[in-house]
């Protein structure tokens, strides 16, 4: 991808403009904030919808990924899954979709995702991810149940150089239909993030596809968070197509699945309680799909590791 264009930001804005046009059908609410920012509530004070969550997920990927519901005929208990794929997986998932921008302020907690991160470039990740954009407007996606306060809007505006009225904030809590969808749709992103933590050369990951079961939302935040994480940790499947030596592809396949983590083996809600709610005390290597397939394009070899855990899914998603 060439630097300088506004490809991801323009694509995300177009996706969100479509959401705004279809707001009634998607059961979302659109308003204008005190600084002129556009606010799209996809599941906080409104019911929202699965389709709204699909649009959110596509927007977070800057239009460089497909997200769609599919049926897994082999699963009788959790047959509906989300499938995510991208021919630009590193840029779509790490450069845009990853919720890596801390936008917390006082008692308001939120991590920002979406192509706005390519404009702000305030995260350490962008010291290695060299792609950048300039854009006339942008989209911020927040996993939260409240619109951003003025200080957060000002922070985003200051970091991006965009006036507040050129920013759209789309938000939905974990407990909502849309929130559940957009979180599970990160199954490919968490695999890429772990590959980076394992020091696999990101430029060698040239294509990717992943899927995870779509759990039911739950009104309790901890339960809802547990379900969305467990859908990936115990039910996620990801395949990477990589260049470079087959030995590196084999090693990535062996190390990438979630069961390689020291914290594997309990529902996520129980792991969260075990660490007294300290998310950052949990082994970061836990956050990856249950099963991984890596294909070495130069030799045609495919390596597999891990496996989906129906028993753990039953404990968490039932």
């Amino acid at each position: 991808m060439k630097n300088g264009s506004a490809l991801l930001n323009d694509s995300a804005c177009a996706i969100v403009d479509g959401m705004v046009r279809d707001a009634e059908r998607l059961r979302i609410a659109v308003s204008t904030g005190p600084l002129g920012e556009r606010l799209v509530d996809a599941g906080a004070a409104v019911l929202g919808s699965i389709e709204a969550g699909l649009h959110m997920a596509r927007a977070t990927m800057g239009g460089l990924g497909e997200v769609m519901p599919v049926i897994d005929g082999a699963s009788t208990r959790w047959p509906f899954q989300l499938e995510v794929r991208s021919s630009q997986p590193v840029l779509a998932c790490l450069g845009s979709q990853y919720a890596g921008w801390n936008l917390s302020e006082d008692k308001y907690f939120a991590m920002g995702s979406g192509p706005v991160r390519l404009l702000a470039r305030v995260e350490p990740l962008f010291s290695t991810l060299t792609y950048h954009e300039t854009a006339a407007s942008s989209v911020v996606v927040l996993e939260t149940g409240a619109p951003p306060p003025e200080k957060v809007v000002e922070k985003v505006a200051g970091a991006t150089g965009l006036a507040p009225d050129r920013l759209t904030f789309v938000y939905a809590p974990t407990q909502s239909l849309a929130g559940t969808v957009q979180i599970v749709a990160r199954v490919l992103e968490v695999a890429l993030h772990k590959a980076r933590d394992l020091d696999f050369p990101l430029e060698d990951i040239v294509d990717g596809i992943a899927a995870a079961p779509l759990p039911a939302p739950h009104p309790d935040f901890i339960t809802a968070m547990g379900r969305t994480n467990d859908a990936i940790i115990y039910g996620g499947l990801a395949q990477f197509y990589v260049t470079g030596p087959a030995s590196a592809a084999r090693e990535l396949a062996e190390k990438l699945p979630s069961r390689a983590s020291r914290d594997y083996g309990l529902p996520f809600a129980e792991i969260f309680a075990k660490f007294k709610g300290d998310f950052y005390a949990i082994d970061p290597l836990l956050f990856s799909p249950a099963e991984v397939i890596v294909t070495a394009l130069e030799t045609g070899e495919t390596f597999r590791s891990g496996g989906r855990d129906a028993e753990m899914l039953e404990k968490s998603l039932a």
Side-chain angles (χ1 to χ4, degrees), residues 80-84 184-185 187 210-215 228 231-232 235-237:
F80 295 100
Q81 299 203 344
L82 289 182
E83 180 183 291
V84 185
V184 175
V187 58
L214 180 61
T228 54
I232 295 173
L237 168 65

Side-chain angles (χ1 to χ4, degrees), residues 64 97 126 163 172 184 215 227 246 279 311:
L64 288 184
Q97 187 182 28
F126 291 104
V184 175
R227 287 180 174 182
F279 194 88
E311 182 178 348

Side-chain angles (χ1 to χ4, degrees), residues 89-106:
V90 174
L91 187 54
C93 295
L94 295 185
S96 189
Q97 187 182 28
Y98 174 53
W101 190 4
N102 189 340
L103 293 176
S104 301
E105 183 68 36
D106 296 328

Side-chain angles (χ1 to χ4, degrees), residues 250-267:
R250 179 189 296 108
E251 183 178 7
L252 179 63
E254 292 172 352
K255 293 182 177 180
L256 199 57
S258 55
R259 66 179 57 193
S261 166
R262 67 164 194 258
D263 291 331
Y264 182 93
L266 292 172

Side-chain angles (χ1 to χ4, degrees), residues 16 19-20 22-33 37-49 51-53 56 108 140-148 168-179:
V16 174
M19 293 177 69
V20 170
D22 293 336
E24 184 175 0
R25 180 172 65 82
L26 297 176
R27 297 194 296 265
I28 63 177
V30 182
S31 62
T32 301
E37 71 277 13
R38 184 166 63 173
L39 302 172
V40 178
D41 177 357
V46 296
L47 183 59
S49 60
E51 189 174 354
M56 286 180 71
Y108 182 84
V140 189
V141 175
L142 302 170
E143 181 187 339
T144 182
T168 298
F169 293 83
V170 186
Y171 62 97
T174 309
Q175 304 95 307
S176 66
L177 281 165

Side-chain angles (χ1 to χ4, degrees), residues 54 58 65-71 81-85 185 210-212:
L54 294 173
R58 294 171 186 138
E66 287 292 334
V67 184
M68 62 184 64
V70 297
I71 295 179
Q81 299 203 344
L82 289 182
E83 180 183 291
V84 185
R85 64 181 187 271

Side-chain angles (χ1 to χ4, degrees), residues 11-317:
S11 295
C13 288
I15 292 168
V16 174
D17 286 345
M19 293 177 69
V20 170
R21 287 193 299 271
D22 293 336
E24 184 175 0
R25 180 172 65 82
L26 297 176
R27 297 194 296 265
I28 63 177
V30 182
S31 62
T32 301
L35 299 179
E37 71 277 13
R38 184 166 63 173
L39 302 172
V40 178
D41 177 357
V46 296
L47 183 59
S49 60
I50 290 174
E51 189 174 354
L54 294 173
H55 286 307
M56 286 180 71
R58 294 171 186 138
T60 63
M61 299 180 78
L64 288 184
E66 287 292 334
V67 184
M68 62 184 64
V70 297
I71 295 179
D72 178 6
S75 174
T76 57
R77 290 285 289 171
W78 312 107
F80 295 100
Q81 299 203 344
L82 289 182
E83 180 183 291
V84 185
R85 64 181 187 271
S86 177
S87 58
Q88 295 283 340
V90 174
L91 187 54
C93 295
L94 295 185
S96 189
Q97 187 182 28
Y98 174 53
W101 190 4
N102 189 340
L103 293 176
S104 301
E105 183 68 36
D106 296 328
K107 295 182 179 180
Y108 182 84
F109 177 81
M111 300 296 290
S113 62
V116 70
R117 297 171 50 246
L118 290 165
L119 305 180
R121 302 185 65 82
V122 296
E123 304 158 46
L125 169 67
F126 291 104
S127 64
T128 55
L129 191 64
T130 58
Y131 176 87
H132 67 272
E133 288 192 358
T134 56
S137 56
S138 191
V139 172
V140 189
V141 175
L142 302 170
E143 181 187 339
T144 182
E150 290 186 30
K151 287 185 178 180
V152 169
V153 176
E154 290 170 347
K155 180 178 181 178
V156 175
T160 60
L162 296 176
D165 64 1
R166 305 305 299 173
L167 296 169
T168 298
F169 293 83
V170 186
Y171 62 97
T174 309
Q175 304 95 307
S176 66
L177 281 165
T180 297
V181 169
Q182 75 95 10
I183 296 168
V184 175
R186 296 173 184 272
V187 58
L188 183 62
E189 177 257 296
V190 296
L192 280 156
H193 196 271
K194 185 170 179 178
R196 178 176 182 265
D197 287 344
L198 293 171
D199 294 322
F200 187 84
L202 293 179
E203 64 273 14
D204 288 353
I205 302 175
V206 298
D207 221 314
I209 185 168
L214 180 61
H218 196 283
D220 176 69
F221 170 71
I222 300 299
T223 303
M225 179 178 63
R227 287 180 174 182
T228 54
N229 277 281
D230 288 338
I232 295 173
I233 294 168
Y234 298 111
L237 168 65
Q239 180 163 8
F240 288 151
Y241 298 85
V242 304
T243 57
S247 58
R250 179 189 296 108
E251 183 178 7
L252 179 63
E254 292 172 352
K255 293 182 177 180
L256 199 57
S258 55
R259 66 179 57 193
S261 166
R262 67 164 194 258
D263 291 331
Y264 182 93
L266 292 172
F268 186 80
E270 293 184 24
I271 297 173
F272 192 70
K274 175 183 174 182
F275 289 99
K276 297 180 172 55
D278 184 355
F279 194 88
Y280 296 101
I282 300 170
D283 181 9
L285 298 182
L286 178 67
F287 300 100
S288 55
E291 186 175 355
V292 173
I293 305 169
V294 181
T295 296
L297 293 174
E298 294 179 13
T299 66
E301 295 174 89
T302 294
F303 308 97
R304 302 169 184 267
S305 186
R308 287 170 283 184
D309 192 328
E311 182 178 348
M312 288 301 303
L313 287 174
E314 183 66 20
K315 288 180 180 179
S316 177
L317 305 192

